[in-house]
């Protein structure tokens, strides 16, 4: 028995049998890769990982200390069976330089209006490295799938046997400073300039870091000169990243700059369904729809929600139904929204459109006022928990059908008119930020 197994045996004594069977029993310890400072365990099911981490890693680490005097960081990762099979078959694969998440694939990426441009761009780069858009620059808000898409291309390249480096600006910087300290710059340059594909995530963090920008610039030039594919992501358009050398900024735009927008409802639903499939969680259609409407654009929340639902239902021995889901998610999802009321929404919309808040609630029919009223109704519906009749009453409309008519209209406009959609988003963000 290795020390990892011994520790899990000890843990067994401290927790209930049900917990042990459900979460701990299936963990396997990687005796080869683990060290005194890092204990690596594998789990089979992505969904329980967060749960195990939050609940047991401290304990596990402590038990290691009891056993051998060292208190390691406990890492629990998904065991990828496919990956393992491949490695056994072909032991002589080229050294992969980076850790790509194998589930970040194109087939796991749900495409909708919000992300189809970026998707198409990355896909075509993955089919034609170095030749179509080089560099490719993907930008968009948090949790919209930038890293996923970038790694999807990385996975394709890696499967073709190319050497792919995936790194964040932070890692690149750490690597760089370490190389200076240890006098190993040559190796550093070799590594970054001899790869086939370079993926750099969250490039906005280069902002105002002159030393690394210089090194980065030369890396870029070398790779580009050799026709090697480079992909960047950032939270904003390269033009909007402040504190960037002009020559870098211009190079970011050399190839193609593609944006990702927040997903529409249908895309969110498709993403949730996909995540359920991957994580083997069964949710009924009404629950999926409910989750899609209550989460904001940030898709990253979805995985946390699924794992929370799964863990709670297991521990409490209940099925996941809609009321259970609402209960579990209540605190997490509505927290920000509870503070938002209709008065503050109309105030912010009125101010933005240069009219008085009272006019929004008046019977005024002028174009501007009707426009502001419609937008306010839509945002109130999105950001507060008021029902249609409550909205009708607040806005002095005949009944709830007038409200649903307005909401349909706005939805259509959002679909047709990109500027309008951005306007609504901007207002919603202002309102959430001020609450
Ligand atoms: P970003 O890098 O833009 O902050 P990520 O790529 O890390 O976002 O995505 C956050 C999570 O959402 C990941 O689990 C990712 O798989 C998932 N995700 C985002 N967009 C999609 C999509 N269109 N289809 C499937 N999963 C998605
Ligand atoms: Mg990312």
């Amino acid at each position: 028995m290795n020390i990892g197994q011994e520790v899990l045996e000890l843990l067994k004594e401290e927790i209930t049998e049900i917990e042990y069977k459900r979460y701990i029993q299936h963990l396997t310890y990687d005796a080869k890769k683990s060290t005194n400072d890092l204990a690596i365990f594998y789990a089979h099911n992505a969904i329980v990982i967060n749960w195990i981490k939050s609940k047991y890693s401290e304990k596990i680490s402590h038990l290691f200390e009891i056993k051998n005097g060292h208190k390691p960081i406990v890492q629990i990762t998904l065991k990828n069976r496919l990956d393992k099979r491949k490695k056994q078959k072909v032991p002589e694969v080229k050294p992969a330089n980076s850790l790509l998440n194998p589930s970040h694939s194109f087939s796991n990426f749900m495409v909708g209006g919000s992300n189809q441009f970026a998707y198409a761009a990355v896909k075509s780069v993955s089919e034609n490295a170095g030749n179509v858009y080089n560099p490719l620059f993907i930008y968009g808000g948090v949790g919209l799938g930038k890293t996923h898409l970038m790694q999807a291309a990385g996975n394709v390249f890696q499967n073709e046997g190319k050497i792919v480096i995936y790194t964040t600006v932070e890692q690149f910087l750490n690597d760089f400073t370490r190389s200076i300290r240890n006098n190993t710059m040559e190796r550093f340059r070799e590594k970054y300039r001899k790869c086939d594909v370079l993926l750099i995530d969250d490039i906005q963090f280069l902002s105002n870091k002159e030393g690394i920008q210089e090194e980065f610039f030369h890396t870029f030039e070398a790779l580009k000169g050799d026709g090697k594919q480079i992909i960047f992501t950032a939270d904003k358009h390269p033009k909007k990243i402040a504190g960037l050398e002009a020559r870098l900024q211009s190079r970011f735009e050399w190839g193609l700059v593609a944006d990702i927008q927040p997903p529409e409802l249908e895309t969110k639903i498709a993403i949730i369904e996909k995540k359920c499939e991957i994580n083997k969680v069964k949710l009924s259609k009404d629950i999926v729809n409910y989750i899609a409407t209550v989460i904001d654009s940030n898709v990253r929340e979805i995985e946390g929600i699924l794992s929370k639902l799964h863990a709670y239902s297991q521990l409490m021995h209940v099925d996941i139904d809609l009321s259970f889901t609402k209960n579990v998610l209540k605190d997490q999802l509505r927290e920000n929204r509870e503070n938002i009321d209709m008065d503050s929404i109309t105030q912010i919309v009125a101010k933005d459109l240069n009219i008085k808040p009272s006019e929004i609630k008046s019977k005024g029919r002028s174009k501007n006022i009707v426009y502001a009223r419609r937008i306010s109704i839509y945002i109130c519906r999105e950001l507060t928990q008021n029902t249609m009749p409550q909205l009708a009453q607040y806005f002095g409309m005949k009944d709830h059908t007038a409200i649903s008519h307005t909401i349909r209209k706005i939805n259509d406009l959002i679909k047709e008119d990109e500027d309008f959609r951005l306007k609504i988003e901007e207002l919603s963000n202002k309102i959430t930020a001020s609450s």
Side-chain angles (χ1 to χ4, degrees):
M1 208 191 272
N2 63 40
I3 178 154
Q5 287 163 330
E6 286 171 24
V7 161
L8 294 186
E9 282 297 312
L10 280 182
L11 182 63
K12 191 176 177 181
E13 312 284 314
E14 296 198 10
I15 59 180
T16 67
E17 199 184 331
I18 296 177
E19 277 181 288
Y20 179 79
K21 282 205 172 129
R22 233 162 239 162
Y23 299 109
I24 304 301
Q25 192 176 30
H26 305 291
L27 288 181
T28 49
Y29 177 68
D30 191 331
K32 268 202 195 120
K33 288 204 190 128
S34 297
T35 63
N36 281 340
D37 302 317
L38 178 71
I40 303 175
F41 289 91
Y42 298 109
H44 284 296
N45 177 352
I47 218 132
V48 299
I49 288 182
N50 283 340
W51 181 255
I52 300 176
K53 271 188 198 153
S54 65
K55 206 137 186 254
Y56 307 108
S57 23
E58 191 43 43
K59 262 201 183 105
I60 294 177
S61 172
H62 179 64
L63 292 173
F64 269 99
E65 195 183 13
I66 292 175
K67 276 262 160 213
N68 71 356
H70 294 282
K71 197 164 186 226
I73 292 171
V74 175
Q75 183 184 313
I76 298 164
T77 38
L78 187 65
K79 178 165 203 151
N80 190 300
R81 294 188 201 129
L82 240 173
D83 216 33
K84 202 172 161 212
R85 229 184 297 140
K86 239 184 230 155
K87 273 190 197 128
Q88 281 167 348
K89 256 198 235 155
V90 200
E92 279 302 301
V93 279
K94 273 195 190 177
N97 287 313
S98 49
L99 287 171
L100 297 172
N101 181 338
S103 74
H104 284 162
S105 62
F106 284 114
S107 55
N108 285 344
F109 190 83
M110 300 296 104
V111 186
S114 55
N115 57 29
Q116 65 188 10
F117 182 51
Y119 173 86
V122 181
K123 192 86 178 45
S124 80
V125 161
S126 77
E127 286 157 5
N128 211 338
N131 291 322
V132 272
Y133 311 118
N134 202 14
L136 173 60
F137 193 104
I138 307 287
Y139 76 96
V142 176
L144 300 186
K146 302 182 297 295
T147 300
H148 184 139
L149 265 185
M150 169 186 251
Q151 293 206 353
N155 278 314
V156 169
F157 294 136
Q158 218 164 54
N159 289 339
E160 290 168 352
K162 294 194 171 79
I163 297 183
V164 178
I165 295 190
Y166 165 84
T167 179
T168 60
V169 167
E170 200 188 1
Q171 276 167 9
F172 185 79
L173 183 59
N174 286 345
D175 216 0
F176 178 66
T177 27
R178 199 175 329 114
S179 307
I180 294 181
R181 200 177 334 111
N182 301 343
N183 232 338
T184 51
M185 266 320 279
E186 217 163 295
R187 210 185 310 153
F188 173 88
R189 296 202 167 120
E190 174 92 354
K191 169 176 165 191
Y192 285 99
R193 295 179 192 183
K194 290 282 182 288
C195 63
D196 299 313
V197 177
L198 181 62
L199 311 174
I200 304 209
D201 215 353
D202 291 321
I203 202 85
Q204 72 271 9
F205 292 120
L206 275 183
S207 165
N208 295 320
K209 302 196 173 91
E210 281 87 19
I212 193 72
Q213 283 187 28
E214 166 94 27
E215 182 61 33
F216 187 77
F217 174 78
H218 294 296
T219 306
F220 178 91
E221 291 289 279
L223 287 169
K224 174 82 185 155
D226 286 343
K228 304 291 178 58
Q229 181 68 49
I230 305 155
I231 307 181
F232 300 116
T233 72
D235 64 349
K236 41 179 113 55
H237 191 283
K239 275 209 181 67
K240 302 236 168 94
I241 304 177
L244 215 52
E245 285 181 21
R247 57 181 183 175
L248 264 183
Q249 205 146 31
S250 77
R251 272 159 185 80
F252 287 154
E253 294 183 64
W254 264 2
L256 179 73
V257 179
D259 66 322
I260 298 194
Q261 296 294 331
E264 312 77 8
L265 186 63
E266 305 87 83
T267 315
K268 274 196 269 184
I269 291 175
I271 295 172
I272 296 169
E273 285 171 340
K274 190 52 153 184
K275 295 285 174 203
C276 286
E277 182 195 318
I278 294 173
N279 292 301
K280 303 199 171 53
V281 176
K282 281 211 172 70
L283 295 182
S284 65
K285 191 77 193 170
D286 57 339
I287 297 177
V288 171
N289 288 351
Y290 171 75
I291 298 175
T293 44
V294 289
I295 56 163
D296 298 319
S297 54
N298 186 345
V299 179
R300 197 165 294 166
E301 282 180 296
I302 292 174
E303 259 158 359
I305 289 174
L306 294 185
S307 96
K308 201 166 171 180
L309 279 177
H310 179 78
Y312 277 38
S313 81
Q314 296 256 301
L315 287 178
M316 293 150 95
H317 304 285
V318 291
D319 290 336
I320 306 177
D321 64 12
L322 189 59
S323 72
F324 176 77
T325 308
K326 285 186 175 167
N327 245 335
V328 171
L329 303 190
K330 204 167 50 199
D331 317 333
Q332 180 168 351
L333 297 171
R334 289 293 185 180
E335 230 163 41
N336 325 339
R337 296 177 182 200
E338 259 154 24
N339 304 327
I340 302 177
D341 57 48
M342 299 205 270
D343 284 341
S344 45
I345 293 178
T346 45
Q347 262 162 28
I348 290 174
V349 174
K351 187 164 173 225
D352 191 82
L353 298 174
N354 261 327
I355 57 173
K356 292 200 203 89
S358 58
E359 286 178 302
I360 292 190
K361 292 172 69 180
S362 72
K363 298 248 180 279
R365 302 292 316 158
S366 84
K367 212 173 149 202
N368 232 358
I369 293 176
V370 173
Y371 180 70
R373 187 178 305 129
R374 287 187 170 154
I375 291 183
S376 305
I377 290 173
Y378 180 83
I379 296 180
C380 283
R381 180 67 183 155
E382 286 278 297
L383 296 186
T384 72
Q385 301 193 61
N386 292 290
T387 59
M388 300 260 192
Q390 283 167 330
L391 288 174
Q393 193 186 12
Y394 183 83
F395 287 97
M397 311 212 21
K398 215 169 68 222
D399 56 19
H400 70 277
T401 51
I403 296 288
S404 62
H405 176 72
T406 304
I407 288 171
R408 258 202 315 277
K409 270 221 151 106
I410 296 286
N411 266 325
D412 290 344
L413 256 183
I414 287 177
K415 276 197 197 120
E416 285 157 21
D417 183 347
E418 172 72 12
D419 287 341
F420 181 72
R421 183 161 73 86
L422 291 174
K423 181 84 216 166
I424 295 271
E425 238 159 58
E426 180 201 319
L427 278 169
S428 304
N429 287 340
K430 250 189 210 166
I431 290 159
T432 348
S434 75
S435 67

